Amino acid sequence: MSHPAFSKRVCEDKRDFDEMKTAAAEFYRVSRVPQDIERALHQLFLHRPADQHGYLSMSSAAVSSHLVPESQERTEHVMAAVLWINEPLNSMLKDRDPCDQLKIDHILSTFFKERCLEEKEVRDRERPEVIPSSSPPQTKEKKSINKGKKSTVEKPLPAAEPQQPVLRGSLAVGSVSLAVAKTGAQIQGVHLYEYVAALRNQEPPFHIPVSLVTLLSCGKTSPGKLNLLEEVILIPKVGQQVKQIITMALEVQKEMMRIMETLTNGGASEAFVCDSGALAVSHERAEQPLDLIAEACTNLGLPLGTQIHLALNCAAHELLDPSKGKYEVATGVLKSPDELVDLYQTLISKYPAVVALIDPFRKEDRDQWEKLSSMIGNSCSLLSDVSYKSQGPPLPGARGHILKHINETTVSDLIHMTSEQQGSVLMGTTCSEPCSEDSLSDIAVGLGLHYVKLGGLSGAERMTKYNRLISIEEELAQQGILVFKEKHPPPLFPDSPHKHSGTAEAARSGLEEHSSHLIQTDL
């Protein structure tokens, strides 16, 4: 090779390398990898545990939790989990067959129940003794009395179910169960999704769960006054590959950003990427984010109700003001449970592309679940989070369920829940945890679920899972054992689409295309 040609080649290689470094630096910056590493090392130095590798592993455990990632509470839970794993779980599982998932998960669950009983006994001993009063207190009903108007009695808010405290160390149970499943799969020489499917006695062919992508977040932690919409979730047209879904969602997100920049005259838009990996936008009313998505989809030739439908994660249990007995749907805007029913009905009537509401009320507001279902059940499904076992009977009107692999949930628990709770969506975490594990994707495929929600399209902890879904899909297609659903399965679409008027024509045609006969954190 001549000197000029060699020099040109060196320059091209250097330019390619520089471009790759720049792209990598931008990827790490957006994904907040340096901050995650710095945080993990800081916590490691601060606590200086005896088992440094175990501490780091649990800090980035594939099993999610309800805890704030950087909180002292989470650190204490992680430390407790490391102690559980080192001893006594290490001794209890020694020489056990890692391929006997059911037996090991039974040991883990039994251990956890015993720890819960011990913790309860400690709390009971520490609880001060209550001396009963000689005469029961007199209670009066509150009445609003206005001159010339009929008095009304305000219905008391149903008491909340007692919340079971999350036991410190519970992360160890779910993490060890998953580690055992991965070990069993490796011993048998199969992928994790094949191993989980075999535990369910499921044989090929397989299907890939429809990826539900979080587009916007307008919850309590987002800018603006609106609290009600924790997540606005894209439901793609059935039959698309994961790559196609991701590309479409990215185009919608890019167009929304363009619209917001236009509205702010080219200035800084009031939006940022939140912990769920989606855009957190500043809005005051529930209609505004839906209008934004509708405009973006229309500009892209993807009108809502045909190519795209939406689900709303309301997370209403986080919005209740117990002192007032109302939901704070926006800053300073309070709604009673019945008023919230009316709000949802109006919203669904105006936006028929919204086909699912997740946790629209607390579980205790059973009357409102049933009332709302009777009003919009033909056009919109209600889904309930069953990650934490409720002490009450099944919710009336709930058509589907949300599952999460959190804390003490074992692989066997997930298999049992999906068999018991027909019509489930597996959801990943909504927190930005330093976790790039991709096992949730394998679990969703192995469980035979029809839907999986991995969050937004930002952050390595989520994109790793999306990439794993793509890999599984390509592998199954190469082997000729991949099948696609021709119609949207339950629980996200109702059995009998309700006929809306006016603006609902496009949505109605889309529902007819997908059919209404239907077949669920993020780690």
Side-chain angles (χ1 to χ4, degrees), residues 233-426:
I233 303 166
L234 179 149
I235 306 174
K237 182 179 177 181
V238 74
Q240 296 187 84
Q241 297 178 348
V242 180
K243 281 184 179 179
Q244 294 174 315
I245 295 172
I246 292 175
T247 299
M248 178 178 62
L250 286 172
E251 289 177 350
V252 174
Q253 184 171 296
K254 182 179 179 181
E255 180 62 16
M256 288 192 299
M257 287 295 295
R258 187 195 67 79
I259 294 171
M260 286 188 290
E261 289 175 359
T262 301
L263 293 176
T264 56
N265 298 318
S269 59
E270 294 184 79
F272 60 88
V273 177
C274 65
D275 286 343
S276 66
L279 289 174
V281 293
S282 175
H283 287 310
E284 297 184 4
R285 297 177 293 105
E287 292 85 357
Q288 291 175 311
L290 299 179
D291 288 338
L292 174 62
I293 294 175
E295 182 179 352
C297 290
T298 299
N299 293 348
L300 295 170
L302 299 169
L304 289 178
T306 53
Q307 298 294 318
I308 292 175
H309 290 83
L310 299 174
L312 307 180
N313 182 8
C314 306
H317 57 280
E318 299 179 3
L319 308 180
L320 185 75
D321 185 335
S323 64
K324 297 182 175 63
K326 294 185 177 183
Y327 294 94
E328 190 170 17
V329 298
T331 304
V333 180
L334 298 170
K335 298 285 186 182
S336 69
D338 284 330
E339 290 172 334
L340 198 53
V341 170
D342 295 335
L343 186 153
Y344 288 134
Q345 184 188 25
T346 302
L347 204 62
I348 299 305
S349 298
K350 186 175 181 181
Y351 303 93
V354 176
V355 296
L357 297 178
I358 301 172
D359 287 339
F361 307 99
R362 300 181 310 153
K363 289 180 173 59
E364 293 81 6
D365 294 325
R366 301 178 59 82
D367 291 345
Q368 284 70 33
W369 279 87
E370 187 171 18
K371 182 178 179 181
L372 182 61
S373 178
S374 66
M375 296 170 69
I376 68 172
N378 288 334
S379 58
C380 185
S381 299
L382 307 185
L383 280 68
S384 168
D385 189 341
V386 294
S387 301
Y388 296 99
K389 296 179 181 178
S390 173
Q391 298 178 358
L395 283 172
R399 185 170 289 153
H401 306 90
I402 300 298
L403 305 178
K404 298 175 186 175
H405 191 197
I406 58 175
N407 298 325
E408 71 275 10
T409 306
T410 65
V411 172
S412 297
D413 288 335
L414 288 174
I415 293 174
H416 176 72
M417 285 190 288
T418 51
S419 63
E420 290 286 317
Q421 308 281 1
Q422 294 300 317
S424 298
V425 178
L426 185 64

Side-chain angles (χ1 to χ4, degrees), residues 130-151:
V130 178
I131 302 175
S133 175
S134 57
S135 59
Q138 300 295 317
T139 59
K140 296 181 180 180
E141 284 187 336
K142 276 191 174 182
K143 295 185 179 181
S144 59
I145 303 175
N146 295 312
K147 291 182 179 180
K149 291 186 179 181
K150 193 175 181 179
S151 64

Side-chain angles (χ1 to χ4, degrees), residues 69-84:
E70 298 185 53
S71 66
Q72 178 64 26
E73 184 183 10
R74 177 174 172 79
T75 299
E76 293 172 355
H77 277 258
V78 170
M79 292 291 292
V82 172
L83 293 176
W84 278 17

Side-chain angles (χ1 to χ4, degrees), residues 390-509:
S390 173
Q391 298 178 358
L395 283 172
R399 185 170 289 153
H401 306 90
I402 300 298
L403 305 178
K404 298 175 186 175
H405 191 197
I406 58 175
N407 298 325
E408 71 275 10
T409 306
T410 65
V411 172
S412 297
D413 288 335
L414 288 174
I415 293 174
H416 176 72
M417 285 190 288
T418 51
S419 63
E420 290 286 317
Q421 308 281 1
Q422 294 300 317
S424 298
V425 178
L426 185 64
M427 291 182 64
T429 180
T430 56
C431 293
S432 180
E433 297 182 1
C435 172
S436 57
E437 254 281 356
D438 58 9
S439 301
L440 183 65
S441 301
D442 282 78
I443 291 175
V445 175
L447 291 175
L449 297 179
H450 297 293
Y451 298 98
V452 62
K453 189 191 79 66
L454 302 176
L457 297 176
S458 175
E461 61 270 28
R462 281 167 294 277
M463 293 311 300
T464 299
K465 298 175 179 64
Y466 280 113
N467 288 334
R468 177 56 184 155
L469 267 187
I470 293 173
S471 298
I472 297 174
E473 186 175 55
E474 292 175 344
E475 177 183 304
L476 294 176
Q478 291 173 359
Q479 297 178 14
I481 54 175
L482 175 65
V483 294
F484 287 96
K485 298 294 180 181
E486 296 181 358
K487 301 174 182 179
H488 259 302
L492 295 186
F493 284 73
D495 292 333
S496 302
H498 176 69
K499 293 187 178 181
H500 297 277
S501 60
T503 59
E505 289 298 326
R508 181 162 65 250
S509 64

